[in-house]
Amino acid sequence: MTGFFDSCLWENLILPMSHSERALVHAVVALAALHEDLQSRGAPLSRENLANRRQKFALGQYGRSLTALNERRYSQDPKLRDVILACCLLFVTIDVLRGQYDPALLHLKHGLASIEEERQLSSGGSGFTTCRTAVEQSLLATMTRLETQSLFFGLDPLIGATLSFSVNNSGGSYFKTLQEARRALDKLLASSVRLFMAVYELPARDRVANLHPDLADTQNDLMAQLHEFAQQLDWSMTHSLRLEGPKERRGLDMVLLHHITFSILVEISLCVEHPSYHDRYLNSFQRMMALSREISQSFKNENGSGTKPTLLLDMGIIPSLFLICWKCRDSNLKHQALDALEEWPHREGLWDSRLLTIFARQIIQLEKETASDDPDAWSQIQDHSLEVSDDQSYAILKYQTYGPGKEARKQRRVIPLDEET
């Protein structure tokens, strides 16, 4: 579950804590049953099926965990908050594996509220308590990274908007460890996603810098910080950063991949786009594709069996591959990214590669349908979203089309999921 980066969270906190906490042991058993089911069926699209023996058993364990946790709600145990956070993390993962995103986001919201409450009680709200161990900090960091992911899935951006990582790069110009670089980038990614989602809420025609000077200032600040981070990381890779083993090498590739991906998201946030606008990012898209391949291949090389994990807590290559499918105009590169999504069925935090493959394939198909040989008659597809029905039998692709001198047209397309999986 922690395959992209080294982490002490699972082995040093959750599993040991489950030996004495009923709520955690039931949650761990539920997750194990769902993970076993996921692997046995080749990581299909996350959907609930109570006729499935493992899923039915997992749901029973999930209910027992909720009951045990509720029984402890009035406890004065100082470790209760960590138990609640660990359960929240497991509940989020369990619900995502069931395809139940609304309850997953609700559990995440409750966990983030608990973190914020602790911050307000410690040092006047200035940061985490100083007495926390590295393992406990890992739990808090994992929850806040999930918060960054969740903004793409409908969590209110204002919820937990003050949450951020306490970056402590005392050198100011270099990183000695991969974890220092990752913590510095985490804060930038959180701000980048909030900017992107704030701009996304605006009408497409209004997403220009001169109409929103405050957002433009934020965009410029973020672009400068992302550029500075790239310079710091480049210097560190040559002079100070020491990597221990292939897992840290993969972690560095992940940092590089996320930096490129979110730098593009920030840069394209405030601009009225002509399709050719994204041609300037072709080299970046190619680099993203190469890094994604290296990261994927590293798992095969690591275990010698040629297999790759099906469940990871961290955001990995899925968002980057989807961005290539979405914004890159090189047809060959788009299909390479689509193939990479299809070839490795797995979960990364809230991201389901099967669902994103469906989404990406539909976007590429829409582009083919609206393509024109006349470069002056271009039409543009924007504001894509994919919503899965409550019974998980179909998805609705919503989008808008634009063109020179044309009003935006809201459209939708129903995608039967039984035909896609």
Side-chain angles (χ1 to χ4, degrees):
M1 289 179 65
T2 57
F4 288 126
F5 297 90
D6 283 318
S7 172
C8 53
L9 173 62
W10 186 254
E11 292 184 358
N12 295 348
L13 180 67
I14 292 181
L15 287 181
M17 195 184 294
S18 69
H19 293 314
S20 58
E21 296 290 344
R22 284 197 306 123
L24 265 174
V25 72
H26 288 302
V28 167
V29 171
L31 179 56
L34 289 175
H35 189 202
E36 182 182 27
D37 180 63
L38 181 74
Q39 290 185 304
S40 68
R41 295 190 297 123
L45 183 67
S46 294
R47 292 159 65 178
E48 187 168 61
N49 177 14
L50 295 183
N52 178 298
R53 178 178 56 83
R54 292 190 186 95
Q55 288 197 27
K56 187 174 182 179
F57 171 75
L59 190 60
Q61 291 294 312
Y62 183 18
R64 291 185 179 185
S65 178
L66 288 167
T67 299
L69 192 62
N70 188 53
E71 291 173 353
R72 289 205 58 192
R73 67 187 185 278
Y74 298 122
S75 170
Q76 300 302 312
D77 185 348
K79 288 295 183 182
L80 179 60
R81 190 185 299 273
D82 284 344
V83 174
I84 293 172
L85 286 178
C87 284
C88 281
L89 177 60
L90 294 177
F91 293 162
V92 169
T93 309
I94 289 168
D95 280 327
V96 167
L97 289 180
R98 297 168 56 230
Q100 300 293 324
Y101 280 86
D102 287 343
L105 293 178
L106 185 60
H107 285 305
L108 180 58
K109 177 180 174 181
H110 290 159
L112 294 170
S114 179
I115 294 173
E116 179 63 11
E117 180 183 354
E118 177 177 348
R119 288 193 176 186
Q120 294 298 324
L121 292 174
S122 65
S123 303
S126 62
F128 295 133
T129 52
T130 57
C131 61
R132 279 195 169 276
T133 67
V135 177
E136 294 165 342
Q137 289 277 15
S138 178
L139 174 60
L140 298 174
T142 299
M143 291 294 292
T144 45
R145 289 187 184 110
L146 281 174
E147 181 211 10
T148 297
Q149 296 181 44
S150 72
L151 301 183
F152 288 111
F153 292 84
L155 191 70
D156 187 343
L158 297 178
I159 298 299
T162 60
L163 296 184
S164 61
F165 289 90
S166 179
V167 181
N168 182 22
N169 181 24
S170 57
S173 61
Y174 62 89
F175 305 112
K176 294 181 180 178
T177 68
L178 179 63
Q179 288 305 316
E180 285 182 1
R182 189 186 184 198
R183 286 194 297 269
L185 183 61
D186 279 334
K187 189 171 183 178
L188 292 175
L189 297 189
S191 298
S192 299
V193 174
R194 286 196 175 90
L195 171 67
F196 181 79
M197 298 309 297
V199 172
Y200 191 81
E201 292 296 317
L202 302 171
R205 298 289 191 186
D206 294 342
R207 296 170 193 167
V208 289
N210 62 343
L211 294 179
H212 304 281
D214 290 344
L215 289 176
D217 287 344
T218 300
Q219 180 188 36
N220 290 331
D221 287 345
L222 273 172
M223 289 169 61
Q225 291 178 55
L226 286 162
H227 179 68
E228 181 182 3
F229 174 87
Q231 292 180 319
Q232 292 176 359
L233 185 60
D234 185 62
W235 193 94
S236 301
M237 288 167 61
T238 304
H239 296 89
S240 62
L241 190 60
R242 298 292 180 263
L243 301 178
E244 299 181 3
K247 196 166 188 177
E248 286 216 335
R249 173 69 243 183
R250 178 170 62 228
L252 177 60
D253 285 343
M254 192 65 61
V255 167
L256 293 167
L257 177 63
H258 289 168
H259 175 266
I260 298 171
T261 302
F262 285 83
S263 293
I264 293 175
L265 276 183
V266 170
E267 290 182 23
I268 67 176
S269 292
L270 286 171
C271 62
V272 176
E273 304 171 19
H274 187 283
S276 63
Y277 179 84
H278 298 115
D279 291 350
R280 69 184 67 190
Y281 299 112
L282 180 58
N283 290 338
S284 295
F285 289 137
Q286 291 171 338
R287 178 64 173 145
M288 288 161 59
M289 191 69 241
L291 284 168
S292 296
R293 285 199 180 108
E294 291 173 15
I295 292 164
S296 177
Q297 183 62 37
S298 71
F299 284 107
K300 289 186 176 182
N301 299 338
E302 184 176 86
N303 58 35
S305 65
T307 60
K308 289 179 280 192
T310 54
L311 178 60
L312 298 154
L313 283 179
D314 286 316
M315 178 173 64
I317 68 174
I318 293 175
S320 300
L321 292 172
F322 179 77
L323 182 63
I324 296 172
C325 294
W326 177 28
K327 293 297 185 181
C328 180
R329 290 214 308 163
D330 185 303
S331 178
N332 181 54
L333 197 57
K334 288 170 83 80
H335 283 88
Q336 287 180 41
L338 182 62
D339 290 343
L341 279 172
E342 290 180 321
E343 288 167 3
W344 183 13
H346 69 292
R347 311 289 183 277
E348 298 171 359
L350 301 179
W351 303 88
D352 182 339
S353 68
R354 294 283 196 184
L355 190 60
L356 269 293
T357 297
I358 294 170
F359 199 176
R361 189 186 299 124
Q362 291 294 324
I363 289 174
I364 292 173
Q365 181 60 35
L366 282 173
E367 290 173 346
K368 289 180 180 178
E369 294 172 6
T370 59
S372 171
D373 294 331
D374 181 359
D376 295 324
W378 62 272
S379 62
Q380 189 173 5
I381 304 168
Q382 285 192 350
D383 296 352
H384 313 79
S385 66
L386 192 70
E387 298 178 7
V388 178
S389 63
D390 290 340
D391 64 2
Q392 301 173 307
S393 63
Y394 64 90
I396 300 175
L397 175 66
K398 296 181 179 180
Y399 59 98
Q400 297 188 58
T401 55
Y402 302 83
K406 298 178 181 178
E407 292 296 323
R409 293 180 57 197
K410 293 184 178 181
Q411 303 193 52
R412 53 189 282 159
R413 178 173 295 185
V414 177
I415 308 162
L417 292 180
D418 288 335
E419 298 176 9
E420 293 281 350
T421 57

